Amino acid sequence: MIDILVRVLLMPPMSLIVLILAGYALRRRWPRCGRAVSRLGLAALLVLSTNAGSLLLVRPLEQLTAPLADAGASGAQAIVVLAAGNVHAAPEYGGADIPDDIALLRLRYAARLQHATNLPLLVSGGNGEPDKGIPPKAVTMARALREDFRTPVAWTEERSADTSQNARYSAALLKAAGVRRVLLVTHAMHMPRAERAFRAAGLDVVPAPTMFYSRSRLTPLMFVPGWSGMFRSYYATHEWIGLAWQRLH
């Protein structure tokens, strides 16, 4: 619970809202300092809620990886795609849990790579709660690949709760099957942290990132605050914190 609270307070927009409120609290005793803190928080909130402003956090992350050039020449023996989230009890799917929009972007690219290479595919993601009827993310991902993308799934890793566990549990399954070199599919922002985790687990990784947000063409609308800008800033902050934590450990 404490870990979740700390993460929430460090992530925008909550971290910036806290900064604004702290500035107002400081105004009673130190008016100039309080106003400066509040204005800083408000300015950061406005900037990071635009797609253009989010590039301050997103671009340096995405520059740590690169698009896959040639999947067929990669020498990979399998494809690994990482989970994101689930949508619970989707009514249009008969009340079944389904992968969320972030996971679907990864699944689409993984399916494309599988069709191009015919490599066996592993989906990795846990967080299931069987007693509540909530399946592991890998189960919903595998179902979407098979039914919606007409893509076979060779393995499902259903125990992991985070990226480091994705790597450890996936590596155990793959090594048992004689696989050492993999195409790793996840978002470009997530790739630096995911690649390090999978290399630490003893796999030879060929990064296959998708969704390079920083390569979008700048338009006037990208300077207008909105949910997509804040989502990208939130996601990038999460990855920067994750990379820092990974390096400390």
Side-chain angles (χ1 to χ4, degrees):
M1 182 63 184
I2 294 176
D3 177 55
I4 294 174
L5 183 62
V6 168
R7 280 190 292 166
V8 167
L9 291 176
L10 287 174
M11 308 277 279
M14 183 55 68
S15 58
L16 302 176
I17 292 172
V18 169
L19 188 64
I20 293 168
L21 294 176
Y24 277 106
L26 289 170
R27 282 171 129 179
R28 293 184 178 181
R29 190 156 188 178
W30 298 286
R32 292 180 64 185
C33 177
R35 283 194 294 270
V37 170
S38 292
R39 288 169 182 170
L40 175 64
L42 182 59
L45 183 63
L46 288 172
V47 169
L48 293 181
S49 64
T50 68
N51 286 323
S54 71
L55 294 176
L56 297 170
L57 299 172
V58 173
R59 180 171 284 143
L61 265 179
E62 294 188 347
Q63 287 176 339
L64 297 176
T65 190
L68 178 64
D70 186 352
S74 66
Q77 299 165 278
I79 300 166
V80 178
V81 57
L82 303 185
N86 270 348
V87 176
H88 181 59
E92 72 276 30
Y93 285 85
D97 286 13
I98 61 172
D100 69 1
D101 50 353
I102 299 175
L104 281 173
L105 292 169
R106 300 175 185 180
L107 293 178
R108 181 178 66 182
Y109 188 47
R112 180 183 179 88
L113 291 176
Q114 199 284 326
H115 295 169
T117 63
N118 204 34
L119 290 172
L121 196 153
L122 180 148
V123 291
S124 176
N127 302 111
E129 297 182 58
D131 55 323
K132 297 180 181 178
I134 299 175
K137 294 173 183 175
V139 171
T140 62
M141 293 165 69
R143 185 166 58 232
L145 281 167
R146 290 169 179 146
E147 296 178 1
D148 301 326
F149 292 96
R150 303 298 187 264
T151 302
V153 175
W155 306 277
T156 59
E157 181 286 296
E158 304 175 12
R159 296 189 293 156
S160 58
D162 55 35
T163 301
S164 62
Q165 290 182 6
N166 286 146
R168 289 203 306 272
Y169 298 148
S170 296
L173 286 171
L174 293 167
K175 288 176 183 177
V179 174
R180 288 291 188 274
R181 186 174 176 84
V182 299
L183 291 175
L184 181 60
V185 177
T186 188
H187 273 59
M189 278 195 283
H190 184 218
M191 185 58 75
R193 187 161 61 95
E195 182 182 355
R196 289 180 186 178
F198 274 77
R199 290 192 187 281
L203 292 174
D204 188 6
V205 178
V206 179
T210 188
M211 297 308 296
F212 285 81
Y213 295 114
S214 63
R215 300 196 179 203
S216 301
R217 185 172 59 88
L218 276 177
T219 66
L221 284 177
M222 290 188 70
F223 293 87
V224 178
W227 70 269
S228 61
M230 185 51 65
F231 162 73
R232 295 178 186 186
S233 294
Y234 177 94
Y235 194 167
T237 302
H238 179 272
E239 291 307 319
W240 282 118
I241 292 171
L243 279 171
W245 184 258
Q246 194 177 55
R247 286 172 178 169
L248 286 173
H249 288 76

